[in-house]
Amino acid sequence: MQLHDVWFVLIAVLWTGYFFLEGFDFGVGVLTKLLARDRKERRVLINTIGPVWDGNEVWLLTAGGATFAAFPEWYATLFSGFYLPLLLILICLIIRGVAFEYRHKRDEDRWQTNWEHAIFWTSLIPAFLWGVAFANIVRGVKIDEQMNYVGSLFDLLNVYSLLGGLVTLTLFTFHGAVFTSLKTVGDIRERSRTLATRLGVLTAVLALAFLAWTQVSHGDGTSLIAMAVAVVALVGALACNLAGREGWAFALSGITIAAAVAMLFLTLFPNVMPSSLNDAWNLTVTNASSSPYTLKIMTWCAGVATPLVLLYQGWTYWVFRKRIGTQHIADAH
């Protein structure tokens, strides 16, 4: 295996980690409107992800930085062709971070309500747009022989990509509902389990349609295995949620995300961004990669830094592992 193949796998792992971790806190953000009945319950939901949401976003920065360094042609074509959707995601992530930090700075009802609206919308929009973006990457976009994207924004809004957006939105929200039931106590825990069941059924229908479409259009034997793992894990997550085994349900919903992302990357390889105009113009792990020397230096740096980051983030989750409920939230002044 060449180093550019290794870095393709590593970037897939980084995106998997991002969607696994940021997926549930996007879901919790959406649940602030779907599940919480009052401000105290919204505070419970926000507090479940308060210590970890910013650490989860580090995976996105790392995935973007690794793509820039390891596959500069892929990075350039992706970020120029998908400029508006990615800019909208970036704006949402900025506003979302500000909302988490500023919501509690003042006690006025209008102030807190506005920031809570911001948390909801800036969680929902990226959760949808990431699915649209990755579905278009798998489907193929208009790339010319100079590796430039020559399509328009409306070319990205096709039935397949919009279905992909609905899948990531519902899957992340289901993942967030399972996480909420794992991290809370009392009535909100029970209601999150009930909502997770409903969301899980909807997610299963949408995901099965999208993954089957992907397999028929772009898949092979290995992607079929990943699809089977995703489907079985999602069914298992639903069953564990019904049985009240929140830990297992959360682990299996995470495996569902990981297997689905793996399937998308397996359908891509050895391409990183197919051209819908001409197969000869596809961006591949070979023609889009950096020099072997650059990849070698990156590999050494990643080998040293990655374990330290994983240890620190794992320690953070361990420290903030306890459940919380409305009884742990002080009354507003």
Side-chain angles (χ1 to χ4, degrees), residues 12-27 167-176 178 203 207 211 226-227 229-231 233-234 237 249-265:
V13 170
L14 289 170
W15 280 110
T16 301
Y18 174 66
F19 288 140
F20 180 97
L21 297 172
E22 189 82 303
F24 73 73
D25 73 45
F26 280 149
V167 169
T168 52
L169 175 59
T170 54
L171 180 56
F172 290 169
T173 308
F174 169 70
H175 194 41
V178 174
T203 301
L211 295 179
M227 175 183 169
V229 171
V231 172
L234 182 55
F250 180 70
L252 287 169
S253 67
I255 291 173
T256 302
I257 292 173
V261 175
M263 180 187 178
L264 296 182
F265 276 89

mmCIF file of all heavy atoms in Angstrom, residues 12-27 167-176 178 203 207 211 226-227 229-231 233-234 237 249-265:
data_model
loop_
_atom_site.group_PDB
_atom_site.id
_atom_site.type_symbol
_atom_site.label_atom_id
_atom_site.label_comp_id
_atom_site.label_asym_id
_atom_site.label_seq_id
_atom_site.Cartn_x
_atom_site.Cartn_y
_atom_site.Cartn_z
ATOM 1 N N ALA A 12 -10.514 9.159 5.729
ATOM 2 C CA ALA A 12 -11.803 8.507 5.956
ATOM 3 C C ALA A 12 -12.045 8.290 7.450
ATOM 4 O O ALA A 12 -13.158 8.494 7.949
ATOM 5 C CB ALA A 12 -11.858 7.170 5.217
ATOM 6 N N VAL A 13 -10.995 7.905 8.178
ATOM 7 C CA VAL A 13 -11.117 7.709 9.628
ATOM 8 C C VAL A 13 -11.425 9.030 10.324
ATOM 9 O O VAL A 13 -12.250 9.088 11.250
ATOM 10 C CB VAL A 13 -9.822 7.081 10.193
ATOM 11 C CG1 VAL A 13 -9.829 7.096 11.718
ATOM 12 C CG2 VAL A 13 -9.661 5.661 9.686
ATOM 13 N N LEU A 14 -10.777 10.103 9.894
ATOM 14 C CA LEU A 14 -11.023 11.412 10.501
ATOM 15 C C LEU A 14 -12.466 11.864 10.281
ATOM 16 O O LEU A 14 -13.120 12.383 11.206
ATOM 17 C CB LEU A 14 -10.050 12.449 9.935
ATOM 18 C CG LEU A 14 -8.592 12.301 10.367
ATOM 19 C CD1 LEU A 14 -7.694 13.235 9.552
ATOM 20 C CD2 LEU A 14 -8.428 12.594 11.855
ATOM 21 N N TRP A 15 -12.985 11.676 9.073
ATOM 22 C CA TRP A 15 -14.378 12.046 8.815
ATOM 23 C C TRP A 15 -15.335 11.151 9.602
ATOM 24 O O TRP A 15 -16.375 11.613 10.089
ATOM 25 C CB TRP A 15 -14.690 11.957 7.312
ATOM 26 C CG TRP A 15 -14.220 13.145 6.549
ATOM 27 C CD1 TRP A 15 -13.197 13.207 5.650
ATOM 28 C CD2 TRP A 15 -14.759 14.473 6.619
ATOM 29 N NE1 TRP A 15 -13.059 14.485 5.164
ATOM 30 C CE2 TRP A 15 -14.003 15.273 5.726
ATOM 31 C CE3 TRP A 15 -15.796 15.053 7.339
ATOM 32 C CZ2 TRP A 15 -14.265 16.634 5.554
ATOM 33 C CZ3 TRP A 15 -16.063 16.408 7.159
ATOM 34 C CH2 TRP A 15 -15.299 17.185 6.279
ATOM 35 N N THR A 16 -14.964 9.879 9.757
ATOM 36 C CA THR A 16 -15.787 8.989 10.572
ATOM 37 C C THR A 16 -15.843 9.473 12.017
ATOM 38 O O THR A 16 -16.914 9.523 12.633
ATOM 39 C CB THR A 16 -15.225 7.559 10.517
ATOM 40 O OG1 THR A 16 -15.215 7.098 9.165
ATOM 41 C CG2 THR A 16 -16.073 6.613 11.363
ATOM 42 N N GLY A 17 -14.672 9.832 12.569
ATOM 43 C CA GLY A 17 -14.640 10.349 13.934
ATOM 44 C C GLY A 17 -15.438 11.630 14.082
ATOM 45 O O GLY A 17 -16.154 11.824 15.080
ATOM 46 N N TYR A 18 -15.341 12.496 13.073
ATOM 47 C CA TYR A 18 -16.087 13.755 13.133
ATOM 48 C C TYR A 18 -17.593 13.509 13.129
ATOM 49 O O TYR A 18 -18.334 14.067 13.958
ATOM 50 C CB TYR A 18 -15.702 14.643 11.953
ATOM 51 C CG TYR A 18 -16.531 15.903 11.851
ATOM 52 C CD1 TYR A 18 -16.449 16.896 12.827
ATOM 53 C CD2 TYR A 18 -17.413 16.101 10.796
ATOM 54 C CE1 TYR A 18 -17.220 18.048 12.756
ATOM 55 C CE2 TYR A 18 -18.179 17.247 10.702
ATOM 56 C CZ TYR A 18 -18.086 18.218 11.688
ATOM 57 O OH TYR A 18 -18.860 19.352 11.603
ATOM 58 N N PHE A 19 -18.065 12.657 12.219
ATOM 59 C CA PHE A 19 -19.502 12.419 12.140
ATOM 60 C C PHE A 19 -20.012 11.638 13.347
ATOM 61 O O PHE A 19 -21.156 11.829 13.775
ATOM 62 C CB PHE A 19 -19.848 11.689 10.843
ATOM 63 C CG PHE A 19 -19.730 12.548 9.619
ATOM 64 C CD1 PHE A 19 -19.192 12.056 8.440
ATOM 65 C CD2 PHE A 19 -20.166 13.860 9.638
ATOM 66 C CE1 PHE A 19 -19.081 12.852 7.314
ATOM 67 C CE2 PHE A 19 -20.060 14.678 8.512
ATOM 68 C CZ PHE A 19 -19.521 14.163 7.342
ATOM 69 N N PHE A 20 -19.197 10.757 13.903
ATOM 70 C CA PHE A 20 -19.594 10.026 15.109
ATOM 71 C C PHE A 20 -19.775 10.989 16.277
ATOM 72 O O PHE A 20 -20.775 10.925 16.999
ATOM 73 C CB PHE A 20 -18.535 8.980 15.445
ATOM 74 C CG PHE A 20 -18.850 8.174 16.680
ATOM 75 C CD1 PHE A 20 -19.448 6.929 16.575
ATOM 76 C CD2 PHE A 20 -18.542 8.644 17.949
ATOM 77 C CE1 PHE A 20 -19.747 6.177 17.708
ATOM 78 C CE2 PHE A 20 -18.829 7.905 19.088
ATOM 79 C CZ PHE A 20 -19.433 6.668 18.964
ATOM 80 N N LEU A 21 -18.806 11.892 16.481
ATOM 81 C CA LEU A 21 -18.816 12.770 17.644
ATOM 82 C C LEU A 21 -19.664 14.020 17.412
ATOM 83 O O LEU A 21 -20.541 14.350 18.215
ATOM 84 C CB LEU A 21 -17.385 13.163 18.008
ATOM 85 C CG LEU A 21 -16.477 11.999 18.434
ATOM 86 C CD1 LEU A 21 -15.040 12.463 18.576
ATOM 87 C CD2 LEU A 21 -16.963 11.384 19.732
ATOM 88 N N GLU A 22 -19.418 14.706 16.324
ATOM 89 C CA GLU A 22 -20.210 15.907 16.052
ATOM 90 C C GLU A 22 -21.633 15.535 15.685
ATOM 91 O O GLU A 22 -22.558 16.334 15.878
ATOM 92 C CB GLU A 22 -19.560 16.704 14.917
ATOM 93 C CG GLU A 22 -20.158 18.075 14.682
ATOM 94 C CD GLU A 22 -19.636 19.135 15.632
ATOM 95 O OE1 GLU A 22 -19.764 18.930 16.861
ATOM 96 O OE2 GLU A 22 -19.090 20.147 15.164
ATOM 97 N N GLY A 23 -21.822 14.310 15.198
ATOM 98 C CA GLY A 23 -23.165 13.872 14.843
ATOM 99 C C GLY A 23 -24.120 13.910 16.017
ATOM 100 O O GLY A 23 -25.242 14.415 15.910
ATOM 101 N N PHE A 24 -23.683 13.397 17.182
ATOM 102 C CA PHE A 24 -24.620 13.401 18.310
ATOM 103 C C PHE A 24 -24.810 14.797 18.881
ATOM 104 O O PHE A 24 -25.886 15.120 19.376
ATOM 105 C CB PHE A 24 -24.220 12.388 19.389
ATOM 106 C CG PHE A 24 -23.023 12.736 20.233
ATOM 107 C CD1 PHE A 24 -23.084 13.713 21.208
ATOM 108 C CD2 PHE A 24 -21.844 12.035 20.077
ATOM 109 C CE1 PHE A 24 -21.985 14.023 21.996
ATOM 110 C CE2 PHE A 24 -20.738 12.319 20.869
ATOM 111 C CZ PHE A 24 -20.803 13.320 21.822
ATOM 112 N N ASP A 25 -23.781 15.679 18.801
ATOM 113 C CA ASP A 25 -24.070 17.012 19.353
ATOM 114 C C ASP A 25 -24.843 17.881 18.370
ATOM 115 O O ASP A 25 -25.576 18.769 18.774
ATOM 116 C CB ASP A 25 -22.823 17.669 19.954
ATOM 117 C CG ASP A 25 -21.802 18.176 18.983
ATOM 118 O OD1 ASP A 25 -22.172 18.815 18.003
ATOM 119 O OD2 ASP A 25 -20.600 17.962 19.243
ATOM 120 N N PHE A 26 -24.753 17.602 17.045
ATOM 121 C CA PHE A 26 -25.721 18.199 16.124
ATOM 122 C C PHE A 26 -27.131 17.720 16.486
ATOM 123 O O PHE A 26 -28.090 18.500 16.513
ATOM 124 C CB PHE A 26 -25.421 17.800 14.678
ATOM 125 C CG PHE A 26 -24.328 18.594 14.021
ATOM 126 C CD1 PHE A 26 -23.518 18.014 13.050
ATOM 127 C CD2 PHE A 26 -24.107 19.927 14.337
ATOM 128 C CE1 PHE A 26 -22.517 18.732 12.433
ATOM 129 C CE2 PHE A 26 -23.103 20.654 13.727
ATOM 130 C CZ PHE A 26 -22.301 20.054 12.766
ATOM 131 N N GLY A 27 -27.244 16.410 16.737
ATOM 132 C CA GLY A 27 -28.547 15.850 17.090
ATOM 133 C C GLY A 27 -29.124 16.461 18.347
ATOM 134 O O GLY A 27 -30.314 16.779 18.405
ATOM 135 N N VAL A 167 -30.762 11.797 5.152
ATOM 136 C CA VAL A 167 -30.231 10.660 5.907
ATOM 137 C C VAL A 167 -29.310 11.142 7.024
ATOM 138 O O VAL A 167 -29.424 10.699 8.177
ATOM 139 C CB VAL A 167 -29.487 9.689 4.968
ATOM 140 C CG1 VAL A 167 -28.712 8.643 5.779
ATOM 141 C CG2 VAL A 167 -30.462 8.994 4.037
ATOM 142 N N THR A 168 -28.374 12.038 6.715
ATOM 143 C CA THR A 168 -27.469 12.506 7.772
ATOM 144 C C THR A 168 -28.231 13.292 8.837
ATOM 145 O O THR A 168 -27.941 13.160 10.030
ATOM 146 C CB THR A 168 -26.344 13.380 7.190
ATOM 147 O OG1 THR A 168 -26.909 14.430 6.373
ATOM 148 C CG2 THR A 168 -25.391 12.551 6.355
ATOM 149 N N LEU A 169 -29.223 14.069 8.440
ATOM 150 C CA LEU A 169 -29.999 14.833 9.412
ATOM 151 C C LEU A 169 -30.750 13.903 10.368
ATOM 152 O O LEU A 169 -30.691 14.070 11.593
ATOM 153 C CB LEU A 169 -30.976 15.760 8.693
ATOM 154 C CG LEU A 169 -31.959 16.540 9.574
ATOM 155 C CD1 LEU A 169 -31.215 17.416 10.573
ATOM 156 C CD2 LEU A 169 -32.897 17.386 8.719
ATOM 157 N N THR A 170 -31.447 12.928 9.833
ATOM 158 C CA THR A 170 -32.215 12.020 10.695
ATOM 159 C C THR A 170 -31.293 11.098 11.488
ATOM 160 O O THR A 170 -31.564 10.809 12.664
ATOM 161 C CB THR A 170 -33.198 11.184 9.865
ATOM 162 O OG1 THR A 170 -32.494 10.508 8.810
ATOM 163 C CG2 THR A 170 -34.276 12.070 9.261
ATOM 164 N N LEU A 171 -30.209 10.643 10.870
ATOM 165 C CA LEU A 171 -29.283 9.744 11.567
ATOM 166 C C LEU A 171 -28.592 10.462 12.720
ATOM 167 O O LEU A 171 -28.470 9.912 13.824
ATOM 168 C CB LEU A 171 -28.247 9.190 10.586
ATOM 169 C CG LEU A 171 -27.200 8.228 11.150
ATOM 170 C CD1 LEU A 171 -27.863 7.041 11.845
ATOM 171 C CD2 LEU A 171 -26.264 7.753 10.038
ATOM 172 N N PHE A 172 -28.147 11.707 12.487
ATOM 173 C CA PHE A 172 -27.506 12.464 13.566
ATOM 174 C C PHE A 172 -28.507 12.774 14.682
ATOM 175 O O PHE A 172 -28.149 12.744 15.866
ATOM 176 C CB PHE A 172 -26.918 13.768 13.020
ATOM 177 C CG PHE A 172 -25.724 13.576 12.127
ATOM 178 C CD1 PHE A 172 -25.229 14.633 11.374
ATOM 179 C CD2 PHE A 172 -25.097 12.354 12.024
ATOM 180 C CE1 PHE A 172 -24.124 14.470 10.552
ATOM 181 C CE2 PHE A 172 -23.990 12.175 11.203
ATOM 182 C CZ PHE A 172 -23.502 13.236 10.455
ATOM 183 N N THR A 173 -29.741 13.075 14.313
ATOM 184 C CA THR A 173 -30.746 13.374 15.339
ATOM 185 C C THR A 173 -31.071 12.129 16.155
ATOM 186 O O THR A 173 -31.227 12.196 17.383
ATOM 187 C CB THR A 173 -32.016 13.947 14.693
ATOM 188 O OG1 THR A 173 -31.676 15.038 13.831
ATOM 189 C CG2 THR A 173 -32.972 14.460 15.752
ATOM 190 N N PHE A 174 -31.169 10.982 15.489
ATOM 191 C CA PHE A 174 -31.353 9.716 16.203
ATOM 192 C C PHE A 174 -30.166 9.446 17.125
ATOM 193 O O PHE A 174 -30.346 9.069 18.291
ATOM 194 C CB PHE A 174 -31.507 8.579 15.189
ATOM 195 C CG PHE A 174 -31.433 7.203 15.795
ATOM 196 C CD1 PHE A 174 -32.443 6.719 16.605
ATOM 197 C CD2 PHE A 174 -30.330 6.388 15.551
ATOM 198 C CE1 PHE A 174 -32.374 5.450 17.162
ATOM 199 C CE2 PHE A 174 -30.242 5.122 16.107
ATOM 200 C CZ PHE A 174 -31.266 4.643 16.913
ATOM 201 N N HIS A 175 -28.955 9.639 16.616
ATOM 202 C CA HIS A 175 -27.728 9.461 17.414
ATOM 203 C C HIS A 175 -27.750 10.386 18.629
ATOM 204 O O HIS A 175 -27.392 9.987 19.743
ATOM 205 C CB HIS A 175 -26.533 9.771 16.514
ATOM 206 C CG HIS A 175 -25.213 9.332 17.035
ATOM 207 N ND1 HIS A 175 -24.994 8.127 17.666
ATOM 208 C CD2 HIS A 175 -23.993 9.948 16.988
ATOM 209 C CE1 HIS A 175 -23.717 8.021 17.987
ATOM 210 N NE2 HIS A 175 -23.096 9.109 17.603
ATOM 211 N N GLY A 176 -28.212 11.623 18.434
ATOM 212 C CA GLY A 176 -28.304 12.575 19.540
ATOM 213 C C GLY A 176 -29.361 12.187 20.548
ATOM 214 O O GLY A 176 -29.177 12.381 21.760
ATOM 215 N N VAL A 178 -30.310 9.101 21.263
ATOM 216 C CA VAL A 178 -29.759 7.981 22.026
ATOM 217 C C VAL A 178 -28.731 8.494 23.036
ATOM 218 O O VAL A 178 -28.698 8.040 24.193
ATOM 219 C CB VAL A 178 -29.129 6.947 21.071
ATOM 220 C CG1 VAL A 178 -28.412 5.858 21.855
ATOM 221 C CG2 VAL A 178 -30.189 6.326 20.170
ATOM 222 N N THR A 203 -35.189 6.987 10.135
ATOM 223 C CA THR A 203 -33.808 6.919 9.656
ATOM 224 C C THR A 203 -33.557 5.633 8.880
ATOM 225 O O THR A 203 -32.897 5.640 7.834
ATOM 226 C CB THR A 203 -32.827 7.004 10.842
ATOM 227 O OG1 THR A 203 -33.037 8.228 11.547
ATOM 228 C CG2 THR A 203 -31.392 6.931 10.370
ATOM 229 N N ALA A 207 -32.230 5.701 5.200
ATOM 230 C CA ALA A 207 -30.864 5.199 5.035
ATOM 231 C C ALA A 207 -30.829 3.983 4.121
ATOM 232 O O ALA A 207 -29.917 3.846 3.281
ATOM 233 C CB ALA A 207 -30.259 4.855 6.396
ATOM 234 N N LEU A 211 -28.523 4.044 0.875
ATOM 235 C CA LEU A 211 -27.403 3.110 0.779
ATOM 236 C C LEU A 211 -27.616 2.111 -0.359
ATOM 237 O O LEU A 211 -26.657 1.739 -1.061
ATOM 238 C CB LEU A 211 -27.215 2.371 2.105
ATOM 239 C CG LEU A 211 -26.796 3.241 3.299
ATOM 240 C CD1 LEU A 211 -26.674 2.400 4.560
ATOM 241 C CD2 LEU A 211 -25.491 3.977 3.023
ATOM 242 N N ALA A 226 -19.956 -3.224 4.024
ATOM 243 C CA ALA A 226 -20.120 -2.045 4.882
ATOM 244 C C ALA A 226 -21.588 -1.658 5.002
ATOM 245 O O ALA A 226 -22.059 -1.280 6.085
ATOM 246 C CB ALA A 226 -19.304 -0.879 4.325
ATOM 247 N N MET A 227 -22.322 -1.763 3.914
ATOM 248 C CA MET A 227 -23.750 -1.456 3.949
ATOM 249 C C MET A 227 -24.482 -2.413 4.879
ATOM 250 O O MET A 227 -25.346 -1.995 5.675
ATOM 251 C CB MET A 227 -24.335 -1.536 2.535
ATOM 252 C CG MET A 227 -25.847 -1.358 2.483
ATOM 253 S SD MET A 227 -26.506 -1.556 0.813
ATOM 254 C CE MET A 227 -28.273 -1.612 1.162
ATOM 255 N N VAL A 229 -23.269 -4.021 7.437
ATOM 256 C CA VAL A 229 -22.921 -3.688 8.813
ATOM 257 C C VAL A 229 -23.737 -2.493 9.295
ATOM 258 O O VAL A 229 -24.243 -2.479 10.428
ATOM 259 C CB VAL A 229 -21.409 -3.399 8.933
ATOM 260 C CG1 VAL A 229 -21.066 -2.841 10.315
ATOM 261 C CG2 VAL A 229 -20.601 -4.659 8.658
ATOM 262 N N ALA A 230 -23.866 -1.471 8.433
ATOM 263 C CA ALA A 230 -24.626 -0.276 8.811
ATOM 264 C C ALA A 230 -26.085 -0.625 9.094
ATOM 265 O O ALA A 230 -26.667 -0.158 10.088
ATOM 266 C CB ALA A 230 -24.536 0.770 7.698
ATOM 267 N N VAL A 231 -26.688 -1.424 8.251
ATOM 268 C CA VAL A 231 -28.102 -1.782 8.425
ATOM 269 C C VAL A 231 -28.303 -2.609 9.689
ATOM 270 O O VAL A 231 -29.211 -2.341 10.496
ATOM 271 C CB VAL A 231 -28.613 -2.544 7.185
ATOM 272 C CG1 VAL A 231 -30.019 -3.090 7.437
ATOM 273 C CG2 VAL A 231 -28.614 -1.632 5.960
ATOM 274 N N ALA A 233 -26.343 -2.760 12.328
ATOM 275 C CA ALA A 233 -26.067 -1.941 13.510
ATOM 276 C C ALA A 233 -27.228 -1.012 13.822
ATOM 277 O O ALA A 233 -27.571 -0.807 15.002
ATOM 278 C CB ALA A 233 -24.787 -1.136 13.297
ATOM 279 N N LEU A 234 -27.858 -0.447 12.801
ATOM 280 C CA LEU A 234 -28.996 0.446 13.037
ATOM 281 C C LEU A 234 -30.178 -0.326 13.636
ATOM 282 O O LEU A 234 -30.834 0.156 14.573
ATOM 283 C CB LEU A 234 -29.409 1.122 11.734
ATOM 284 C CG LEU A 234 -30.560 2.134 11.812
ATOM 285 C CD1 LEU A 234 -30.269 3.215 12.847
ATOM 286 C CD2 LEU A 234 -30.824 2.762 10.450
ATOM 287 N N ALA A 237 -29.289 -0.966 17.181
ATOM 288 C CA ALA A 237 -29.439 0.237 18.005
ATOM 289 C C ALA A 237 -30.893 0.460 18.377
ATOM 290 O O ALA A 237 -31.208 0.818 19.528
ATOM 291 C CB ALA A 237 -28.895 1.455 17.252
ATOM 292 N N ALA A 249 -27.040 0.933 22.655
ATOM 293 C CA ALA A 249 -27.733 1.644 21.576
ATOM 294 C C ALA A 249 -26.843 2.747 21.003
ATOM 295 O O ALA A 249 -26.767 2.925 19.777
ATOM 296 C CB ALA A 249 -29.048 2.234 22.087
ATOM 297 N N PHE A 250 -26.172 3.485 21.898
ATOM 298 C CA PHE A 250 -25.288 4.557 21.425
ATOM 299 C C PHE A 250 -24.104 3.986 20.653
ATOM 300 O O PHE A 250 -23.731 4.516 19.597
ATOM 301 C CB PHE A 250 -24.797 5.382 22.614
ATOM 302 C CG PHE A 250 -23.875 6.502 22.240
ATOM 303 C CD1 PHE A 250 -24.358 7.611 21.556
ATOM 304 C CD2 PHE A 250 -22.526 6.454 22.554
ATOM 305 C CE1 PHE A 250 -23.517 8.658 21.197
ATOM 306 C CE2 PHE A 250 -21.681 7.491 22.207
ATOM 307 C CZ PHE A 250 -22.173 8.592 21.523
ATOM 308 N N ALA A 251 -23.503 2.908 21.154
ATOM 309 C CA ALA A 251 -22.383 2.294 20.450
ATOM 310 C C ALA A 251 -22.803 1.813 19.065
ATOM 311 O O ALA A 251 -22.085 2.018 18.069
ATOM 312 C CB ALA A 251 -21.822 1.138 21.271
ATOM 313 N N LEU A 252 -23.970 1.202 18.973
ATOM 314 C CA LEU A 252 -24.424 0.684 17.680
ATOM 315 C C LEU A 252 -24.834 1.796 16.720
ATOM 316 O O LEU A 252 -24.627 1.676 15.506
ATOM 317 C CB LEU A 252 -25.589 -0.288 17.905
ATOM 318 C CG LEU A 252 -25.184 -1.637 18.512
ATOM 319 C CD1 LEU A 252 -26.412 -2.426 18.945
ATOM 320 C CD2 LEU A 252 -24.364 -2.447 17.518
ATOM 321 N N SER A 253 -25.408 2.879 17.239
ATOM 322 C CA SER A 253 -25.718 4.002 16.343
ATOM 323 C C SER A 253 -24.422 4.623 15.823
ATOM 324 O O SER A 253 -24.352 5.061 14.667
ATOM 325 C CB SER A 253 -26.584 5.047 17.052
ATOM 326 O OG SER A 253 -25.886 5.687 18.100
ATOM 327 N N GLY A 254 -23.377 4.628 16.666
ATOM 328 C CA GLY A 254 -22.077 5.096 16.205
ATOM 329 C C GLY A 254 -21.487 4.179 15.152
ATOM 330 O O GLY A 254 -20.883 4.640 14.172
ATOM 331 N N ILE A 255 -21.651 2.863 15.324
ATOM 332 C CA ILE A 255 -21.179 1.916 14.311
ATOM 333 C C ILE A 255 -21.937 2.107 13.002
ATOM 334 O O ILE A 255 -21.367 1.980 11.911
ATOM 335 C CB ILE A 255 -21.329 0.473 14.838
ATOM 336 C CG1 ILE A 255 -20.342 0.222 15.986
ATOM 337 C CG2 ILE A 255 -21.099 -0.541 13.713
ATOM 338 C CD1 ILE A 255 -20.524 -1.109 16.678
ATOM 339 N N THR A 256 -23.213 2.426 13.098
ATOM 340 C CA THR A 256 -23.994 2.715 11.892
ATOM 341 C C THR A 256 -23.372 3.867 11.111
ATOM 342 O O THR A 256 -23.190 3.785 9.880
ATOM 343 C CB THR A 256 -25.445 3.074 12.257
ATOM 344 O OG1 THR A 256 -26.026 2.007 12.981
ATOM 345 C CG2 THR A 256 -26.265 3.360 11.006
ATOM 346 N N ILE A 257 -23.031 4.944 11.810
ATOM 347 C CA ILE A 257 -22.408 6.089 11.153
ATOM 348 C C ILE A 257 -21.065 5.697 10.554
ATOM 349 O O ILE A 257 -20.746 6.028 9.403
ATOM 350 C CB ILE A 257 -22.249 7.246 12.155
ATOM 351 C CG1 ILE A 257 -23.621 7.797 12.550
ATOM 352 C CG2 ILE A 257 -21.376 8.358 11.576
ATOM 353 C CD1 ILE A 257 -23.579 8.838 13.654
ATOM 354 N N ALA A 258 -20.253 4.974 11.334
ATOM 355 C CA ALA A 258 -18.928 4.578 10.859
ATOM 356 C C ALA A 258 -19.021 3.689 9.621
ATOM 357 O O ALA A 258 -18.278 3.871 8.646
ATOM 358 C CB ALA A 258 -18.175 3.857 11.977
ATOM 359 N N ALA A 259 -19.938 2.732 9.631
ATOM 360 C CA ALA A 259 -20.075 1.827 8.489
ATOM 361 C C ALA A 259 -20.605 2.560 7.258
ATOM 362 O O ALA A 259 -20.186 2.281 6.128
ATOM 363 C CB ALA A 259 -21.007 0.673 8.859
ATOM 364 N N ALA A 260 -21.528 3.505 7.460
ATOM 365 C CA ALA A 260 -22.060 4.275 6.333
ATOM 366 C C ALA A 260 -20.970 5.136 5.703
ATOM 367 O O ALA A 260 -20.850 5.210 4.471
ATOM 368 C CB ALA A 260 -23.227 5.141 6.793
ATOM 369 N N VAL A 261 -20.157 5.798 6.541
ATOM 370 C CA VAL A 261 -19.048 6.600 6.012
ATOM 371 C C VAL A 261 -18.038 5.701 5.300
ATOM 372 O O VAL A 261 -17.531 6.035 4.222
ATOM 373 C CB VAL A 261 -18.360 7.397 7.137
ATOM 374 C CG1 VAL A 261 -17.136 8.127 6.612
ATOM 375 C CG2 VAL A 261 -19.342 8.386 7.755
ATOM 376 N N ALA A 262 -17.743 4.538 5.892
ATOM 377 C CA ALA A 262 -16.826 3.593 5.255
ATOM 378 C C ALA A 262 -17.345 3.171 3.891
ATOM 379 O O ALA A 262 -16.578 3.069 2.920
ATOM 380 C CB ALA A 262 -16.633 2.375 6.149
ATOM 381 N N MET A 263 -18.655 2.945 3.794
ATOM 382 C CA MET A 263 -19.228 2.551 2.510
ATOM 383 C C MET A 263 -19.024 3.633 1.455
ATOM 384 O O MET A 263 -18.662 3.351 0.308
ATOM 385 C CB MET A 263 -20.721 2.257 2.684
ATOM 386 C CG MET A 263 -21.400 1.842 1.383
ATOM 387 S SD MET A 263 -23.188 1.692 1.538
ATOM 388 C CE MET A 263 -23.618 1.262 -0.158
ATOM 389 N N LEU A 264 -19.243 4.892 1.853
ATOM 390 C CA LEU A 264 -19.075 5.985 0.893
ATOM 391 C C LEU A 264 -17.634 6.073 0.410
ATOM 392 O O LEU A 264 -17.370 6.248 -0.791
ATOM 393 C CB LEU A 264 -19.509 7.309 1.525
ATOM 394 C CG LEU A 264 -20.986 7.430 1.905
ATOM 395 C CD1 LEU A 264 -21.278 8.809 2.475
ATOM 396 C CD2 LEU A 264 -21.885 7.154 0.717
ATOM 397 N N PHE A 265 -16.670 5.937 1.311
ATOM 398 C CA PHE A 265 -15.271 6.014 0.902
ATOM 399 C C PHE A 265 -14.859 4.784 0.102
ATOM 400 O O PHE A 265 -14.014 4.881 -0.796
ATOM 401 C CB PHE A 265 -14.376 6.203 2.129
ATOM 402 C CG PHE A 265 -14.253 7.635 2.565
ATOM 403 C CD1 PHE A 265 -15.142 8.192 3.462
ATOM 404 C CD2 PHE A 265 -13.241 8.444 2.054
ATOM 405 C CE1 PHE A 265 -15.036 9.512 3.854
ATOM 406 C CE2 PHE A 265 -13.125 9.778 2.438
ATOM 407 C CZ PHE A 265 -14.021 10.313 3.337
#
